[in-house]
């Protein structure tokens, strides 16, 4: 990433079609660090080998660097020049050489948190995607793989712990300094380089691999935090065992370290043998972490560990192939989490996230295929499309071929490309050959953006019923016309008359723009269960009445399909109400009541099923989003359900909450259902709701119940709300991760003054723009609060634009991620459109704007 002051007004667009193999490879690199918070000296010795047929200069990328010295084969070298920020070294006729470059960097001033930076006295790195060039000059591209030898030296009081990739092969002391030498035997790209130095303590454990090797495990944190690392350590060991069992992949070093840091742009980073994590995905105990936090720790630890094979041993040829590692690894961590808990609930959670984050992205100005054709700033492509839709594309392949054939394909992929920089095409070809399937048409998922829509209708021919499918893929920026996609579609059909006629779960492959599927003989129109398990990431348009949806919600044998039926029933009712029509509220209430009858046996599923669709998802169903009407009608339906089923909700709350230390799926489901019950009761406006919520808040033995009660109170205007917010703040003011929750629940509030409250909270002494978690907890939460963010006077839009402008010079990555909500302006009325566009124009008018923000804002303005 470049400094804002040196960024060109119009960023250069990089095209996938322009890829060419590197002219020089670097088999080995030695790095020597003299560490300091304000001054760190870096010596890099690159063993370079020319791969080009003819002599060509060596181009080393840099960002904010000036070479202090350049040497070639031990001699001072003068035949070099700077081309913008890049170092060009002319090596003449040499086909191999050792090129040494010395640089000096200032970690303390690195507010971008990319490269080597300081975080609360620690020195740590983040090199994906292009942070290594902020440390030293290097090609800094993922298809240049090297073996690294890293020497670090620094004051042993300031930096008692010195960590890097691989194994520590030597260490010693020199006066007040000490040093450590690390070697990584596995070739890796520069984005996987990692270094951490500082005052840390460790939770140590070990894992014995399937071949009998003992691996030393370490989770490094600040003093006092080690007691909150037990869940992360267990997740790591579970992940290692799962990857051996499911994919046959064994860990390949004798050491695996994780370090938790407070200031981090991402969730975590899979650096070879030294993962660096945002503290929110490592630290957890019942008092400070919710069940969602525990699940997040488990999932992210697994994700980064699984990258050891799907990302590290087999890496990306270029950044256009980002979904090669991220989509595949998300698919792997989703399946791991499903195996560790409730598969139906995990699937519901994953689909809800996909619809909340990726479907709007696919329908907006920032839509792109999971293998993009071009970009201006790669950090903008760490998107829900790359990660979550990418995982769905892998899931579709696995669904079509079955687990055994899919395993053959992944074995072929890992074995064929081990130690290489591969492409998405390499992965598809391995599945194709290993599983014995023709995926020629399926490759369109990598090429075309947009969410396919299937319009379904039933046809009756003398009692023989068929399903007619019409497939369309909507136009997206740069892709006005689309070809039909290939996708697996799981379906079933049931007779609602009790005759027992049915089409059992069936997997069909949809390939055409139109297609007919025979369902069988039924005396009357069957109830159709379609896209069971969410077998394809699509939108289904299918007219089903309240009676059919209610029947499916009660009787479908696929848990996800039952959830979908109830959600669709709620959605139809809400959309009708927002549009001024009369929805079938009674059918919704009856269906929720029947679902609650199963709460004792499966509270986790019931808690998810009875939740109303989010305001944003309701808006996604409308041509023009009306945030105020959506909030009004959603609250009205919530109140109607709360009132009609008040005794059921009170019965749920009257029972004992599962102890916070019980992390079983059933216990987590029980706590989740209690939170849902409390929200429904509060929506009724019953007089005792604030006192009831405050009682739960006060008596809670863990954060899950405490935060759920606080969030419920935060929506209202009671004395209990004021007291709970103050008690929570005073109790946790010294815990940054929990204080993020305090900011977040206020930004999520349904109160009419939420935008003003967020503006005031941005001036709070505990708020800072320097920490990405804190920025996301306040401003990110506001953008997810649809009615507040889209307040008709435009205050929410201005607040976010002000943030982007203030944050961009400090941290372009985090700043740019705040822009997409403004880019959905076409979905709203003319007044809001004008206000959103004006803020995007104001952002783009700022001098010295980063590439990150320029790309996001300019594309968003196009709509």
């Amino acid at each position: 990433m470049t400094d804002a002051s040196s960024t060109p007004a119009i960023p250069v667009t990089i095209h996938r079609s322009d890829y060419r193999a590197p002219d020089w490879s670097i088999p080995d690199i030695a790095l020597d660090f003299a560490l300091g918070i304000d001054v760190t000296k870096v010596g890099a010795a690159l063993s370079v080998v020319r791969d080009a047929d003819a002599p060509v200069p060596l181009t080393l990328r840099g960002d904010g660097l000036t070479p202090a010295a350049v040497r070639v084969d031990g001699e001072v070298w003068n035949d070099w020049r700077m081309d913008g920020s890049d170092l060009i070294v002319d090596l003449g006729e040499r086909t191999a050489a050792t090129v040494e470059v010395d640089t000096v960097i200032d970690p303390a001033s690195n507010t971008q948190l990319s490269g080597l930076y300081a975080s609360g006295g620690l020195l740590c790195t983040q090199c994906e995607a292009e942070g290594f060039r902020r440390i030293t000059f290097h090609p800094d591209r993922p298809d240049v793989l090297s073996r690294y030898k890293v020497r670090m030296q620094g004051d042993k009081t300031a930096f008692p712990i010195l960590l890097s990739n691989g194994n520590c092969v030597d260490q010693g002391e020199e006066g007040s300094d000490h040093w450590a030498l690390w070697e990584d035997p596995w070739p890796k790209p520069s984005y996987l380089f990692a270094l951490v130095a500082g005052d840390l303590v460790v939770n140590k454990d070990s894992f014995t691999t399937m071949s009998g090797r003992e691996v030393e495990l370490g989770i490094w944190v600040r003093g006092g935090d080690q007691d909150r690392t037990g869940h992360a350590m267990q997740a790591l060991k579970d992940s290692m065992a799962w990857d051996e069992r499911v994919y046959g992949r064994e860990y390949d070093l004798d050491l695996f370290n994780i370090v938790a840091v407070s200031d981090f742009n991402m969730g975590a980073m899979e650096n070879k043998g030294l993962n660096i994590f945002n503290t929110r995905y490592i630290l957890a105990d019942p008092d400070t972490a919710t069940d969602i936090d525990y699940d997040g720790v488990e999932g992210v630890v697994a994700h980064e560990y699984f990258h050891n094979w799907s990302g590290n041993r087999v890496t990306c040829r270029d950044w256009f192939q980002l979904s090669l590692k991220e989509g595949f690894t998300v698919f792997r961590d989703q399946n791991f989490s499903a195996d560790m808990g409730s598969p139906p609930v995990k699937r519901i959670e994953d689909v809800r996230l996909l619809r909340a984050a990726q479907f709007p992205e696919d329908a907006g100005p920032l839509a792109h295929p999971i293998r993009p054709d071009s970009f201006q700033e790669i950090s903008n492509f760490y998107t829900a499309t790359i990660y979550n839709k990418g995982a769905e594309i892998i899931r579709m392949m696995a669904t079509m071929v079955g687990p055994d054939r899919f395993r053959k394909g992944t074995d072929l992929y890992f074995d064929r490309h081990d130690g290489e920089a591969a492409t998405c095409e390499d992965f598809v070809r391995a599945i194709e050959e290993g599983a014995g399937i023709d995926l020629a048409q399926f490759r369109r998922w990598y090429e075309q953006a947009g969410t396919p829509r299937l319009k379904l209708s039933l046809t009756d021919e003398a009692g023989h019923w068929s399903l007619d499918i019409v497939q369309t893929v909507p136009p997206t920026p740069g892709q006005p016309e689309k070809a039909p996609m290939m996708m697996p579609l799981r379906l079933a059909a049931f007779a609602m008359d009790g005759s027992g006629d049915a089409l059992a779960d069936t997997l069909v492959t949809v390939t055409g723009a139109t297609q007919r599927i025979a369902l069988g003989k039924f005396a009357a129109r069957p109830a159709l269960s379609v896209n069971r398990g969410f077998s394809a990431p699509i939108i289904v348009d299918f007219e089903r009445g309240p009676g059919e949806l209610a029947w499916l919600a009660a009787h479908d044998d696929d848990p996800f399909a039952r959830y979908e039926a109830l959600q669709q029933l709620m959605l139809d009712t809400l959309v009708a109400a927002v549009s001024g029509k009369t929805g079938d509220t009674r059918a919704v209430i009856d269906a929720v009541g029947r679902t609650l009858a199963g709460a004792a046996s499966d509270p986790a599923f019931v808690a998810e099923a009875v939740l109303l669709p989010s305001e944003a998802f309701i808006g996604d169903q409308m041509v023009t989003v009306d945030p105020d009407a959506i909030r009004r009608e959603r609250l009205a339906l919530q109140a109607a359900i709360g009132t009609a089923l008040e005794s059921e909700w009170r019965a749920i709350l009257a029972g004992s909450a599962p102890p916070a230390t019980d992390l079983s799926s059933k216990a987590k489901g029980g706590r989740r259902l209690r939170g849902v019950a409390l929200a429904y009761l509060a929506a009724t406006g019953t007089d005792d709701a604030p006192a009831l919520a405050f009682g739960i808040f006060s008596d809670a033995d863990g954060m899950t119940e405490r935060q759920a009660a606080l969030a419920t109170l935060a929506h209202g205007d009671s004395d209990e709300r004021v007291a709970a917010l103050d008690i929570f703040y005073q109790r946790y003011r010294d815990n940054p991760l929990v204080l993020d929750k305090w900011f977040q629940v206020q930004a999520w509030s349904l109160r009419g003054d939420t935008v003003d409250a967020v503006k005031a909270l941005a001036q709070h002494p505990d708020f800072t723009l320097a920490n990405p978690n804190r920025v996301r907890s306040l401003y990110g939460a506001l953008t997810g609060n649809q009615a507040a963010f889209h307040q008709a006077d435009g205050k929410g839009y201005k607040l976010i634009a002000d943030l982007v402008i203030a944050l961009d010079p400090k941290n372009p990555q985090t700043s740019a991620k705040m822009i997409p909500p403004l880019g959905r302006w076409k979905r709203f009325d003319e007044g809001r459109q004008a206000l959103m566009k004006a803020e995007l124009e104001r952002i783009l008018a700022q001098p010295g704007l980063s590439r990150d923000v320029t790309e996001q804002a300019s594309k968003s303005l196009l709509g």
Side-chain angles (χ1 to χ4, degrees):
M1 296 165 212
T2 59
D3 294 330
S5 60
S6 64
T7 303
I10 302 176
V12 175
T13 298
I14 301 167
H15 297 275
R16 180 167 56 89
S17 58
D18 292 338
Y19 172 84
R20 58 187 294 252
D23 294 320
W24 295 83
S25 57
I26 305 177
D28 296 281
I29 177 171
L31 299 172
D32 195 332
F33 290 87
L35 299 170
I37 293 291
D38 298 305
V39 176
T40 289
K41 298 178 180 179
V42 185
L46 286 65
S47 299
V48 303
V49 176
R50 194 180 81 204
D51 295 324
D53 294 334
V56 61
L58 174 68
T59 298
L60 303 176
R61 304 294 184 191
D63 185 353
L65 301 177
T66 300
V70 179
R71 296 176 295 279
V72 174
D73 292 334
E75 298 181 1
V76 175
W77 198 253
N78 296 316
D79 200 357
W80 61 270
R81 60 186 172 85
M82 294 298 294
D83 181 8
S85 58
D86 297 338
L87 174 64
I88 311 299
V89 183
D90 192 341
L91 297 175
E93 298 291 331
R94 283 176 167 83
T95 58
T98 298
V99 177
E100 299 175 77
V101 183
D102 297 337
T103 56
V104 179
I105 56 179
D106 177 4
S109 67
N110 183 2
T111 61
Q112 293 188 30
L113 311 185
S114 172
L116 178 67
Y117 65 93
S119 174
L122 297 178
L123 288 178
C124 56
T125 57
Q126 172 55 30
C127 292
E128 187 177 356
E130 297 177 341
F132 193 72
R133 66 186 64 182
R134 296 174 57 81
I135 298 172
T136 188
F137 290 98
H138 188 272
D140 200 18
R141 46 189 286 173
D143 56 353
V144 175
L145 279 65
S146 312
R147 289 177 293 272
Y148 281 68
K149 181 181 293 186
V150 180
R151 186 183 189 276
M152 295 173 282
Q153 182 168 334
D155 183 87
K156 59 188 176 185
T157 301
F159 308 115
I161 301 300
L162 303 172
L163 303 172
S164 190
N165 310 88
N167 300 309
C168 185
V169 296
D170 201 2
Q171 54 189 322
E173 297 188 5
E174 294 182 7
S176 61
D177 281 2
H178 71 147
W179 57 270
L181 180 64
W182 289 77
E183 290 187 6
D184 186 352
W186 298 100
K188 65 176 180 285
S190 56
Y191 81 85
L192 291 174
F193 168 75
L195 174 158
V196 176
D199 189 3
L200 296 164
V201 296
V202 65
N203 175 3
K204 283 193 174 183
D205 208 326
S206 64
F207 178 82
T208 302
T209 70
M210 59 186 181
S211 67
R213 288 188 307 104
E214 185 168 321
V215 179
E216 181 181 328
L217 311 176
I219 298 181
W220 298 83
V221 294
R222 297 184 187 278
D225 283 339
Q226 61 266 46
D227 290 343
R228 295 196 284 157
T229 62
H231 184 64
M233 180 63 79
Q234 187 59 52
L236 175 58
K237 293 192 291 184
D238 289 343
S239 303
M240 297 176 82
W242 188 90
D243 211 19
E244 290 184 348
R245 183 174 69 254
V246 178
Y247 284 89
R249 299 294 124 184
E250 182 176 356
Y251 186 62
D252 52 8
L253 290 169
D254 296 328
L255 185 65
F256 189 94
N257 282 318
I258 293 174
V259 179
V261 298
S262 300
D263 303 304
F264 206 68
N265 282 331
M266 301 182 181
M269 181 60 211
E270 71 267 19
N271 316 295
K272 184 72 178 182
L274 179 58
N275 287 188
I276 300 179
F277 270 65
N278 190 317
T279 50
R280 67 174 295 193
Y281 291 115
I282 288 296
L283 304 180
D285 65 15
D287 183 57
T288 61
T290 65
D291 293 333
I292 292 174
D293 294 329
Y294 272 99
D295 289 346
V297 168
E298 181 179 69
V300 176
V301 167
H303 180 94
E304 304 308 330
Y305 174 74
F306 295 152
H307 265 313
N308 187 62
W309 276 93
S310 52
N312 297 3
R313 286 285 288 262
V314 184
T315 194
C316 299
R317 186 194 72 177
D318 54 68
W319 290 120
F320 296 100
Q321 320 297 328
L322 181 57
S323 195
L324 172 73
K325 72 182 185 77
E326 295 301 348
F328 186 23
T329 305
V330 170
F331 170 75
R332 277 150 56 74
D333 81 54
Q334 288 175 347
N335 287 344
F336 164 79
S337 294
D339 285 352
M340 295 297 107
S342 166
V345 170
K346 177 59 179 168
R347 192 62 184 137
I348 289 168
E349 293 170 347
D350 292 339
V351 173
R352 182 182 288 130
L353 176 60
L354 185 80
R355 286 170 167 165
Q358 197 281 319
F359 277 20
E361 190 170 89
D362 243 354
L366 300 176
H368 58 275
I370 66 167
R371 185 186 58 199
D373 293 320
S374 66
F375 61 78
Q376 294 172 357
E377 172 53 57
I378 184 55
S379 64
N380 287 335
F381 279 82
Y382 284 75
T383 62
T385 295
I386 298 296
Y387 282 70
N388 303 90
K389 186 175 182 178
E392 295 299 319
I393 273 62
I394 305 298
R395 185 180 298 275
M396 283 192 289
M397 284 188 269
T399 298
M400 287 189 293
V401 303
D404 293 340
R405 291 163 62 199
F406 184 72
R407 170 65 187 272
K408 288 180 181 178
T410 58
D411 283 349
L412 179 60
Y413 168 71
F414 287 131
D415 295 342
R416 177 182 285 173
H417 298 290
D418 189 8
E420 294 181 359
T423 66
C424 294
E425 173 60 26
D426 291 328
F427 182 86
V428 176
R429 187 181 298 114
I431 300 300
E432 198 169 42
E433 295 177 17
I437 185 175
D438 182 355
L439 295 173
Q441 183 183 358
F442 188 83
R443 286 169 170 81
R444 290 174 186 165
W445 285 99
Y446 287 89
E447 301 161 0
Q448 296 185 160
T451 304
R453 301 185 78 104
L454 297 189
K455 185 173 180 58
L456 309 182
S457 59
L458 292 176
T459 300
D460 175 19
E461 295 179 346
H464 293 272
W465 290 80
S466 298
L467 175 66
D468 289 311
I469 300 175
V470 177
Q471 178 188 167
T472 57
V473 186
T476 53
Q479 293 184 333
E481 297 182 2
K482 307 290 178 65
M485 301 287 213
M486 175 186 185
M487 67 189 72
L489 189 67
R490 282 184 54 210
L491 54 85
F494 308 96
M496 293 188 290
D497 60 6
S499 66
D501 292 338
L503 171 69
D505 186 89
T506 300
L507 180 66
V508 299
T509 302
V510 176
T511 57
T514 62
Q515 199 162 332
R516 172 167 285 193
I517 299 166
L519 301 179
K521 189 173 178 60
F522 293 87
R525 174 188 163 105
L528 183 67
S529 173
V530 65
N531 205 24
R532 292 155 66 84
F534 205 71
S535 56
I538 59 175
I539 296 171
V540 174
D541 297 321
F542 183 42
E543 292 290 336
R544 289 181 289 186
E548 182 176 341
L549 291 169
W551 189 93
L552 287 166
H555 300 289
D556 202 318
D557 57 2
D558 180 84
F560 183 84
R562 286 206 311 277
Y563 161 82
E564 281 281 83
L566 183 49
Q567 290 289 298
Q568 190 64 53
L569 179 60
M570 293 172 169
L571 191 62
D572 290 348
T573 301
L574 287 163
V575 170
V578 172
S579 303
K581 302 173 184 176
T582 302
D584 196 338
T585 302
R586 187 69 250 172
V588 173
I589 293 171
D590 290 344
V592 171
R594 283 193 297 271
T595 303
L596 284 176
S601 60
D602 196 352
F605 171 79
V606 170
E608 299 299 332
V610 301
L611 278 176
L612 288 175
S614 70
E615 292 180 2
F617 191 57
I618 299 165
D620 288 341
Q621 318 308 309
M622 309 182 71
V623 176
T624 301
V625 182
D626 185 341
D628 299 325
I630 289 172
R631 172 154 295 178
R632 182 181 66 249
E633 297 302 336
R634 187 179 185 277
L635 286 174
L637 181 57
Q638 189 177 27
I641 297 171
T643 300
L645 301 174
E646 181 174 350
S647 61
E648 286 87 341
W649 302 125
R650 289 188 182 276
I652 290 169
L653 292 172
S656 299
T661 53
D662 185 349
L663 296 178
S664 66
S665 178
K666 189 167 185 177
K668 288 189 288 188
R671 288 187 289 269
R672 172 77 156 155
L673 185 57
R674 284 170 59 84
V676 173
L678 181 60
Y680 270 115
L681 271 180
T684 68
T686 181
D687 291 342
D688 68 339
L692 182 61
F694 190 78
I696 293 172
F697 172 84
S698 301
D699 297 340
D701 69 340
M703 182 55 69
T704 299
E705 291 248 307
R706 188 173 299 118
Q707 183 178 342
L710 181 65
T712 299
L713 287 167
H715 296 316
D717 188 22
S718 63
D719 292 340
E720 289 88 349
R721 171 187 180 272
V722 176
L725 284 169
D726 183 61
I727 292 168
F728 193 93
Y729 174 76
Q730 297 299 335
R731 177 170 179 170
Y732 295 111
R733 63 186 304 173
D734 296 324
N735 186 312
L737 292 179
V738 184
L739 200 56
D740 287 339
K741 301 178 189 297
W742 183 78
F743 282 98
Q744 188 178 64
V745 296
Q746 295 176 81
W748 275 343
S749 173
L750 303 181
R751 290 162 54 97
D753 64 350
T754 295
V755 175
D756 291 333
V758 169
K759 187 174 182 179
L761 285 167
Q763 305 304 314
H764 192 279
D766 288 308
F767 184 79
T768 173
L769 291 181
N771 181 265
N773 286 350
R774 189 58 47 86
V775 172
R776 289 186 285 259
S777 71
L778 185 63
Y779 288 100
L782 175 64
T783 64
N785 185 340
Q786 180 168 261
F789 176 61
H790 292 287
Q791 193 169 295
D793 59 10
K795 280 185 178 180
Y797 308 147
K798 184 179 185 304
L799 198 59
I800 294 302
D802 287 344
L803 166 71
V804 170
I805 292 167
L807 186 57
D808 185 48
K810 302 177 177 67
N811 189 332
Q813 275 193 49
T814 301
S815 180
K817 285 179 169 52
M818 295 294 159
I819 293 175
L822 288 171
R824 293 167 192 151
W825 54 268
K826 278 190 176 179
R827 301 297 319 285
F828 294 84
D829 59 84
E830 290 183 1
R832 288 182 171 91
Q833 285 189 20
L835 291 168
M836 295 166 84
K837 289 170 67 178
E839 296 303 335
L840 288 168
E841 290 168 347
R842 182 163 69 93
I843 291 169
L844 285 168
Q846 301 303 308
L849 210 58
S850 70
R851 289 201 316 260
D852 310 60
V853 169
T854 299
E855 180 178 29
Q856 292 286 80
S858 59
K859 289 182 177 179
S860 295
L861 188 58
L862 294 175

